Amino acid sequence: LDFSEDSSRTYKEGGQTGPVINPNYPIAPGGTAGSLTLNEDYYAFSSGATYRQDVWSWNGRAETRNSETDNRYGFTSNFLRQARDGVAFATSAQAFVSELDTGTEGLLAKLDLSWAWRPLGVNWSILDRLEFRFEEVENGSGIVGSGLFGQNGLTALNASTRRVINNFALNRVSREWTQQDREGNLFRRYERNQWSLYYGAKYALDTFDGDEYSGFTDLIGVEVRHDIRPWLDIGIQASSLNGWSTGTHAYSIGPMIGVSPVKNGWITLGYNHKGFTDSDFDAARYTASGPYLQLRFKFDQNSFRRGAEAGDVKADTPQAP
């Protein structure tokens, strides 16, 4: 069980405001970005709980924040069930409410169902996540970037969106490196390589000021990588975003190079010659145009142990989701 309390109170107000680095951000910790008041008074409280058994665990958290300009409430719950080694099911539920003194009100609710299949000693792995998302705003400002729940939130005067999103990833890794591989031809067919197939699909039903819009969109992506050395790999990715209701298509393609400078760490530098963005799929893969840098690290129960305490455990380079 855990509890937290945070508050801010102005103890002195002068005729002039002191040095401000960015007028769009509060001068005191805990304030809201974009708030009209730089030194807003607020009170926040949260409480959480976690319970674990041998093959399943649950955690939840409730929070509230009351300030001079708005009131916010939130709840999060997560459940994980391990069917067997390398096979697990999970679900997550979130709900957030925001009420501004200006009369703007918003609601965001999400439900996730996910499944992971990646047993030890198997070259194949499968990840799948199904998400239900609902967002609603009343008396919005209509200003771009003023969403109550993030940069991509709704900003129209009165709007709602309902979305069903599924992310599916299939990954295959060849056998691990051997001493013979290190001494042989770098591009032999059986040396370590990896390829992955990604498919994302969503159906959206949006309402803006009384007008309804709906459509189906999917994303197909392929990624291939080859290890030149145990610490160095090269690869290429290609993706296609398809708006079937509108008949629009966007593409992303580009090379990448990966380096593993430390154990369980992986740095990827890539460049997409063409690209696109979609907020519902951005977390699964990077498809925007131009250069990008990705950092990945793998942690487990042995990550922070020292010497013999960690045991003789071989750690592979963490793979892309």
Side-chain angles (χ1 to χ4, degrees):
L1 302 176
D2 66 88
F3 305 90
S4 69
E5 185 273 337
D6 184 26
S7 63
S8 175
R9 292 291 180 271
T10 303
Y11 65 88
K12 181 180 179 181
E13 290 190 37
Q16 296 181 348
T17 303
V20 177
I21 298 177
N22 187 337
N24 295 320
Y25 284 81
I27 59 177
T32 303
S35 176
L36 297 178
T37 57
L38 292 177
N39 53 350
E40 180 183 54
D41 294 346
Y42 71 91
Y43 172 84
F45 177 80
S46 68
S47 63
T50 301
Y51 185 82
R52 288 192 179 95
Q53 282 284 3
D54 293 338
V55 295
W56 66 272
S57 65
W58 170 88
N59 66 73
R61 173 166 296 278
E63 57 189 46
T64 179
R65 183 184 186 277
N66 305 102
S67 70
E68 295 179 281
T69 60
D70 64 357
N71 297 322
R72 299 173 181 262
Y73 311 92
F75 173 78
T76 302
S77 178
N78 301 283
F79 177 81
L80 173 66
R81 175 66 162 83
Q82 184 170 330
R84 60 185 178 89
D85 290 343
V87 181
F89 301 88
T91 181
S92 173
Q94 297 178 333
F96 301 96
V97 176
S98 181
E99 301 173 349
L100 276 62
D101 289 351
T102 57
T104 301
E105 298 182 0
L107 168 65
L108 173 63
K110 297 194 297 182
L111 175 64
D112 291 353
L113 303 173
S114 58
W115 170 60
W117 186 88
R118 45 188 177 188
L120 294 176
V122 177
N123 294 2
W124 296 85
S125 62
I126 300 175
L127 303 175
D128 188 81
R129 181 168 62 94
L130 178 65
E131 176 184 352
F132 303 90
R133 178 187 177 100
F134 174 78
E135 184 177 352
E136 183 179 41
V137 63
E138 296 182 4
N139 301 318
S141 65
I143 301 175
V144 177
S146 64
L148 297 178
F149 305 104
Q151 189 72 15
N152 296 318
L154 296 175
T155 60
L157 298 180
N158 294 283
S160 66
T161 177
R162 287 146 286 180
R163 302 189 179 193
V164 180
I165 307 166
N166 191 80
N167 291 275
F168 173 83
L170 174 66
N171 194 84
R172 185 187 184 280
V173 181
S174 65
R175 63 179 175 81
E176 296 184 7
W177 277 74
T178 65
Q179 184 61 34
Q180 183 179 2
D181 293 331
R182 292 178 171 85
E183 298 172 352
N185 187 334
L186 295 179
F187 294 97
R188 283 180 179 173
R189 182 164 62 94
Y190 294 107
E191 294 201 4
R192 188 173 176 87
N193 55 73
Q194 179 177 182
W195 65 265
S196 61
L197 171 67
Y198 169 80
Y199 181 73
K202 68 174 176 179
Y203 178 78
L205 178 61
D206 301 333
T207 303
F208 294 95
D209 298 327
D211 298 326
E212 290 191 352
Y213 306 87
S214 63
F216 176 78
T217 305
D218 66 0
L219 189 154
I220 303 174
V222 178
E223 184 175 314
V224 180
R225 288 196 301 273
H226 182 85
D227 283 0
I228 298 179
R229 288 288 188 270
W231 54 271
L232 176 66
D233 66 82
I234 57 175
I236 188 172
Q237 76 84 24
S239 304
S240 173
L241 180 68
N242 310 292
W244 299 106
S245 301
T246 57
T248 57
H249 305 275
Y251 303 96
S252 174
I253 185 171
M256 65 187 73
I257 182 171
V259 179
S260 181
V262 296
K263 182 178 180 180
N264 293 336
W266 186 28
I267 302 175
T268 302
L269 177 63
Y271 182 87
N272 290 330
H273 295 285
K274 300 180 65 176
F276 58 83
T277 59
D278 188 298
S279 59
D280 293 317
F281 300 131
D282 286 347
R285 58 192 299 110
Y286 189 86
T287 57
S289 177
Y292 63 91
L293 177 68
Q294 291 180 321
L295 306 177
R296 294 183 177 95
F297 296 94
K298 183 174 70 175
F299 301 94
D300 58 22
Q301 66 273 22
N302 298 314
S303 296
F304 299 101
R305 296 183 181 181
R306 296 182 179 179
E309 294 182 359
D312 186 16
V313 180
K314 176 177 173 57
D316 296 329
T317 301
Q319 305 303 326

